[in-house]
Amino acid sequence: MAMKFSDKNPELGALYGSHLATVTARHDHALEQAGASHAVIYSGDPKLAFLDDYHHPFKANPHFVGWAPLVALPFSYIVYTPGETPVLIYYQPHDYWHVVPGAPDGYWTGHFDVRIVHATDEVAAHLPADREKCIAIGEFHDESLAFGIERINPTTAINILHYARGVKTEYELAVMRLAAERGAAGHIAAEAAFRNGMSEFDIHRAYCEAVSHTDPELPYGNIIALNEHGAVLHYTDLDREAPENIRSFLIDAGAQVHGYASDITRTYSNGDPRFQDLIERMNTMELAIVDKLHAGLDYRDLHVATHTMLAEVLVDTELATGNPDTLLETGVTSAFFPHGLGHLLGIQVHDVAGHQESETGGTIDPPSGHPFLRLTRVLEEDMVLTIEPGMYVIDMLLENLRGTPAESHVNWDTVDWLRPFGGIRIEDDVRVRADGHENLTRDAFARAS
Ligand code: GLY
Ligand code: MN
Ligand code: MN
C-alpha cells in the first residue's frame, strides 16, 4: 500500500498530535459532565455468525478509531484519564491460526503508553482500580470484557462526543482528502471498465483493485449499477454478465484511509446524447448546491432549495410541467428525488449526530415531507458532509402520483424514455468553510487527472 495511505505518512504524523489534543479535550469535557474520572474505550470484537464458528468481518468501535488509526485491533482498550498520557492496551494474542497485530509502529505510537497483552485476562491489571469512576465506551456482547465497569455508554458523554465529531480536525481533514483521492482512483478505473463494456461484477473488481480494498474494507457496499439498476437506491447486487445494451452507469463507491470514509457517486452515459445532457444538467445543479455552502447555513434549507432547483431541471428537460412550487407541493420532485441531499461523513459513512440538536442531545427533525434527510443541523466550519442530489425513475413512487393533482404535471412519455437509464446521482464530499467550502472529491479527481 502506498506510503501516503499508511500510518507512517509523515504529513499525517505532523497533524496527529493536535488531533489527539482535540480528542482529549472533548473527553475531558465529556468526563466532567458525566461525573467520571476515566474513559475506557473498547475497540470491540468480531461477532460470530449464528450457529457458526465463523465471524462477521470485524468493524472497530468508531470511538476507538477516533483516537488512533487502529481499525483492525480487536479486544483492545484505550484508557484515558485527564492530564495523563492515554494508555493503549494492545491485544496481541498468541494465536497460530491467524495473523496477529504486529508490534505497535506508526505516527500514533509515541502518543500512548502502550501495554501489550496476550490474553484478555491480562487487561484488568491495566485498568483504573476504581471501576466506579470509569465509564466504558464500546459494544460489549460479553459484559465480562467491561471488567466490572457498570457505566457503559452513558448518554451524557456519548452525546457530547457524538456532537463534537461533526467538526473535523486538521488531521481528519487530511485523512479524508486521502480517502477522497483513493476513491477517485477507484472511480476512474471503474469508468474505464464501464467504457470497456464490462459487467457490474467486473467493474466492481476493477474498482477494488484500484483502491486496494477487499470487500470488507470498503466503507460501504459498492453500488455498481448498469441501466435500470441505477434506479435502485441501494443496489448492491453485481450481475456477472454485462447487459446486451449498455446505456448508463451509476456508481456510488467510497474508500477508506485510517477508518475515515469517502462516499462518491458518478453517473455516465454510454453515448446517448439526451441522457448525457441530463447528467450535465444534474452536475451543474450539484455544483450550484455545493457553491451555496458556508458556515451558518441550515442544511434543511439547502435540501428544500435543491427540490426547487430540481423542479427547474425537470421542466427544462420535459420530464414535468408547472412552476417549482407546484412541483414541490404536489410531490413531483419527491417522487423523482426521494432521498436526502446528504449526510455528515467521517469515521462512519452516515456519521453520527446528523439530527442532534446540541451536545446535550435533542433532535432536529427533517422538514415535513422529507423523512429521509440525515442531516438537519446548522453547518459549522470544518464539518464534512456529502451533497448528493439525484433523479430516478422509481415506478413505485411515480405511480403513486396517478390520480392526484401531480399526475398532470408529469410528462409520462419522457419518463418512459428515461426509465431504461435508471437514474442519476452525483455525490461529492465537501468541507464547510466559514465563507464557502472545500470540495474534497472534485479536488481529488483534479489531482488524479
Ligand atoms: N453510499 C451511501 C450514501 O450515499 O449515502
Ligand atoms: Mn454514496
Ligand atoms: Mn452519501
Side-chain angles (χ1 to χ4, degrees), residues 6-88:
S6 85
D7 64 0
K8 312 289 183 297
N9 178 333
E11 284 163 33
L12 295 181
L15 298 170
Y16 178 70
S18 75
H19 168 72
L20 210 53
T22 300
V23 171
T24 55
R26 289 172 180 172
H27 283 73
D28 291 346
H29 179 47
L31 282 167
E32 193 192 351
Q33 294 302 307
S37 305
H38 317 276
V40 175
I41 299 119
Y42 178 52
S43 65
D45 47 80
K47 293 190 181 85
L48 271 178
F50 183 52
L51 298 180
D52 208 328
D53 64 354
Y54 274 89
H55 293 93
H56 295 291
F58 173 64
K59 194 144 184 162
N61 172 4
H63 288 272
F64 189 85
V65 174
W67 278 85
L70 297 168
V71 295
L73 192 70
F75 298 106
S76 296
Y77 299 78
I78 287 163
V79 183
Y80 175 64
T81 304
E84 295 181 13
T85 302
V87 172
L88 170 60

Side-chain angles (χ1 to χ4, degrees), residues 132-424:
E132 292 206 343
K133 293 206 168 117
C134 296
I135 58 171
I137 299 175
E139 185 181 28
F140 296 92
H141 333 287
D142 174 352
E143 285 216 0
S144 73
L145 291 170
F147 296 99
I149 300 173
E150 288 185 0
R151 296 186 67 195
I152 294 176
N153 302 321
T155 309
T156 312
I158 294 291
N159 279 345
I160 289 170
L161 296 171
H162 279 180
Y163 194 71
R165 262 172 55 193
V167 172
K168 270 44 184 187
T169 64
E170 284 296 327
Y171 164 81
E172 291 177 304
L173 292 170
V175 170
M176 293 183 78
R177 282 184 201 107
L178 289 173
E181 194 172 309
R182 200 171 197 173
H187 275 258
I188 289 165
E191 185 193 355
F194 157 69
R195 302 274 179 219
N196 283 331
M198 289 187 176
S199 68
E200 292 168 348
F201 184 71
D202 287 334
I203 296 171
H204 172 72
R205 295 199 319 162
Y207 182 93
C208 290
E209 183 177 357
V211 298
S212 185
H213 281 339
T214 62
D215 272 274
E217 288 167 344
L218 293 166
Y220 56 91
N222 277 354
I223 297 169
I224 304 276
L226 294 171
N227 298 348
E228 293 88 342
H229 295 160
V232 181
L233 298 181
H234 285 169
Y235 175 83
T236 51
D237 286 8
L238 292 166
D239 272 0
R240 274 33 173 194
E241 300 286 329
E244 206 163 301
N245 291 315
I246 300 177
R247 293 177 286 273
S248 60
F249 175 38
L250 185 155
I251 169 169
D252 182 345
Q256 62 154 315
V257 173
H258 301 322
Y260 288 80
S262 56
D263 177 8
I264 303 170
T265 308
R266 291 290 181 268
T267 310
Y268 304 100
S269 170
N270 191 25
D272 186 283
R274 191 172 175 193
F275 189 61
Q276 179 65 34
D277 173 67
L278 196 52
I279 293 171
E280 283 166 21
R281 287 170 191 268
M282 290 297 284
N283 187 53
T284 302
M285 185 185 94
E286 193 261 359
L287 288 171
I289 299 162
V290 169
D291 264 340
K292 291 179 188 291
L293 289 167
H294 60 85
L297 181 70
D298 187 325
Y299 195 79
R300 292 173 299 180
D301 293 342
L302 195 60
H303 173 84
V304 174
T306 299
H307 276 260
T308 302
M309 295 162 83
L310 180 67
E312 286 162 10
V313 173
L314 293 174
V315 171
D316 290 347
T317 57
E318 297 177 5
L319 279 156
T321 52
N323 67 52
D325 287 346
T326 308
L327 296 181
L328 263 72
E329 280 158 21
T330 55
V332 171
T333 57
S334 292
F336 282 102
F337 171 40
H339 58 76
L341 176 61
H343 49 85
L344 292 173
L345 179 71
I347 298 171
Q348 283 154 277
V349 175
H350 297 155
D351 218 9
V352 287
H355 292 154
Q356 200 174 315
E357 193 168 34
S358 74
E359 67 167 25
T360 57
T363 301
I364 308 169
D365 289 328
S368 88
H370 301 271
F372 300 117
L373 185 59
R374 289 190 169 95
L375 175 56
T376 52
R377 283 167 68 170
V378 172
L379 303 185
E380 293 173 51
E381 196 171 357
D382 295 335
M383 279 183 166
V384 176
L385 49 90
T386 69
I387 297 290
E388 48 181 305
M391 172 208 283
Y392 318 86
V393 175
I394 302 174
D395 285 313
M396 188 188 302
L397 300 179
L398 289 167
E399 284 303 317
N400 285 342
L401 304 181
R402 300 258 190 210
T404 77
E407 181 170 6
S408 63
H409 291 283
V410 174
N411 185 340
W412 298 94
D413 289 341
T414 314
V415 169
D416 288 342
W417 161 77
L418 181 57
R419 184 177 294 103
F421 296 93
I424 297 170

